[in-house]
Amino acid sequence: DGGITQSPKYLFRKEGQNVTLSCEQNLNHDAMYWYRQDPGQGLRLIYYSQIVNDFQKGDIAEGYSVSREKKESFPLTVTSAQKNPTAFYLCASSSWTGGDEQFFGPGTRLTVL
Amino acid sequence: KQEVTQIPAALSVPEGENLVLNCSFTDSAIYNLQWFRQDPGKGLTSLLLIQSSQREQTSGRLNASLDKSSGRSTLYIAASQPGDSATYLCAALNFGNEKLTFGTGTRLTIIP
């Protein structure tokens, strides 16, 4: 089955720790995205990548970092610099940026203890 | 800067009724508009994508329309069922932009 997987489903972090959220896709898509979702707010773009070894900041990149070493993988690290990291994180992919349909993974819920 | 609005934030409808969900956007220079469904605690499921050159798209009981001149899109759901209960989100992609702008969604409850 083609699709996007995210792991873990739930993640707990102590203050001051960095954590990495996994996103893998087997759709052969070039573009991948990370969004953050908070109650009562629309999805906000953290980072996106148009191609391997390239990525761009979105609207709320501060306190986050990404890498794109393989086409199918786009991990997100939430660093200790992110002041309010508790949220639902969604990964998405599309054939290309700028116009194609986006497909989403099941999400990771991050809670800071 | 594009802004996308979905009103109402919540809607309850008896089973079997037809219903319309609304999506408004401020910048009409959109490349496409996408409708998604989100169940509680889950990711987004793509329902329909309308290109800027299209007026509507249909999939089963769902029909999405696009009117760029008025800055509006609607999602029509025919013969609603309890399984349609979810939050529905619309998102617009503008020309020259690689990112979607999302509305905050309409939480739909179908009453059996």
Side-chain angles (χ1 to χ4, degrees), chain A residues 35 37 42-43 45 48 50 59 88 90 96-99 101-102 104-106, chain B residues 31-32 34 36 38 41-44 46 49 93 97-100 102-104:
Chain A
Y35 294 90
Q37 187 176 35
L43 274 73
L45 183 66
Y48 66 99
Q50 296 175 289
D59 298 320
F88 191 49
L90 289 158
W96 54 285
T97 59
E101 187 175 7
Q102 287 191 21
F104 281 76
Chain B
Y31 188 85
N32 63 41
Q34 199 166 351
F36 297 90
Q38 185 176 31
K42 306 291 186 182
L44 276 63
S46 179
L49 181 145
L93 182 70
N97 201 342
E98 292 86 8
K99 56 184 183 179
L100 289 171
F102 282 84
T104 53

Side-chain angles (χ1 to χ4, degrees), chain B residues 76-109:
Chain B
Y76 174 84
I77 302 177
S80 59
Q81 303 171 357
D84 295 329
S85 296
T87 296
Y88 291 80
L89 297 133
C90 66
L93 182 70
N94 281 76
F95 284 100
N97 201 342
E98 292 86 8
K99 56 184 183 179
L100 289 171
T101 302
F102 282 84
T104 53
T106 295
R107 188 174 70 252
L108 176 66
T109 302

Side-chain angles (χ1 to χ4, degrees), chain A residues 38-82:
Chain A
D38 296 279
Q41 297 193 40
L43 274 73
R44 293 181 290 170
L45 183 66
I46 304 172
Y47 269 98
Y48 66 99
S49 169
Q50 296 175 289
I51 199 168
V52 174
N53 293 322
D54 173 77
F55 48 83
Q56 306 293 331
K57 292 182 178 180
D59 298 320
I60 55 165
E62 185 176 352
Y64 300 97
S65 66
V66 294
S67 63
R68 187 85 187 276
E69 298 177 0
K70 298 186 296 182
K71 185 176 184 177
E72 59 269 23
S73 179
F74 192 40
L76 173 74
T77 297
V78 184
T79 75
S80 57
Q82 170 51 235

